Amino acid sequence: KLNIDVDAVQRAVEGLTYLLTESSKLMISEIDFQDSIHVLGFSDELNKLLLQLYLDNRKEIRSILNELAPKLPSYHSLEWRLDVQLASRSLRQQIKPVVTIKLHLNQNEDQTAQVLQTDPSTLLHLIQQLEQALGEMKTNHCRRIVRNMK
Amino acid sequence: MRFRFCGDLDCPDWVLAEISTLAKISSVKLKLICAQVLRDLLGDPMEYEKILKLTSDAKLESGDVKATIAVLGFILSSAAKHNVDSESLSSELQQLGLPKEHASGLCRSYEEKQSSLQDRLRACSLRLSRLGSVCWRVDFTLSSSELREVNEPLIHLNFNLRDGEHGETAAVPMVLSAEKFRVLLAELKQAQALMNTLL
């Protein structure tokens, strides 16, 4: 319908996509955008159109680009149970407490589950380490950084 | 302040905030809403439209209705989890600011369903897999490519396992000779005897 080569249309679409994603990625100001496309030597009307297109779609493009970052599996929920092993084939008259944990994780809408087992002393050690990690937030070093970020 | 129905910990802030929402509903209607929430906790579907009708008099927004359901669900399941009797629950809820009639209505519904709720929670506890069924078959091998006269019995066993939540079945087939099977049976009988001493 435009009476142009298929290749030319494809290159035009790719060029426009690149222009918009790079500008949105770097969050450049209006003036910088105008200066950049001025170099291409288009008409003023076309420049104004491109600028409007950029400003209208900038937020949406940024939110889509945000989701493309690689994500690690994130915590969903935790189930646990406490058992006591009283006997096994090789040894009778035992008393061995065991904590079984099922960790539910979310990764890009996939749900996976990991089953872990531990004895109570390792569990206490784990809790202690996690509380220490939380406690790091209260040190002066972290507080300074958080204040500067706000 | 430590509360038994919260597992001897502080009451969560959101529960405290929603107690005042609960007080806005009349105590009779609250008991009916409790009945619906208990149905949901016991695994039957909850009739959300009935709850909407019951809360319409109190002029609650849709967010408040959901919060009411959530806080009732928390109170009832947490009390069942920590095996709190209904009088203690009633007095703790009144300490949190719930009016006396509301608390007693709630606790009467709780008391009726406490043991079924605990049974249901016990069934939902973490369990890695369950044995669905066992199928067996005894064959007699006459001969094989290695030896002309074998004349040995052979047992085929198939254990059907069911995964806890998703209900996926996995089959574990195996073949045993007579001696191996006798050993397996003897060990399992010992384990069964041990289990019987605990029951």
Side-chain angles (χ1 to χ4, degrees), chain B residues 83-144:
Chain B
N83 204 20
V84 180
D85 59 282
S86 80
E87 277 119 45
S88 317
L89 182 63
S90 177
S91 79
E92 287 187 345
L93 289 174
Q94 286 178 52
Q95 280 177 41
L96 287 169
L98 193 63
K100 192 162 188 283
E101 315 83 52
H102 294 71
S104 45
L106 203 159
C107 293
R108 242 176 290 133
S109 313
Y110 168 69
E111 197 172 352
E112 285 166 31
K113 295 280 179 178
Q114 183 178 358
S115 47
S116 354
L117 203 54
Q118 285 177 326
D119 287 337
R120 167 97 185 150
L121 290 173
R122 193 171 297 131
C124 289
S125 296
L126 173 62
R127 203 161 153 178
L128 294 175
S129 61
R130 285 158 215 267
L131 185 61
S133 63
V134 182
C135 310
W136 59 267
R137 186 178 96 190
V138 177
D139 288 349
F140 194 78
T141 312
L142 294 168
S143 85
S144 74

Side-chain angles (χ1 to χ4, degrees), chain A residues 37-68:
Chain A
I37 58 179
H38 192 67
V39 186
L40 299 167
F42 292 142
S43 67
D44 269 338
E45 202 188 304
L46 192 56
N47 285 349
K48 249 189 259 170
L49 210 71
L50 284 171
L51 180 65
Q52 203 50 48
L53 194 66
Y54 167 59
L55 290 172
D56 287 340
N57 292 309
R58 175 160 64 170
K59 226 182 190 180
E60 203 179 321
I61 296 177
R62 278 182 75 81
S63 69
I64 296 174
L65 288 173
N66 190 23
E67 297 189 11
L68 289 177

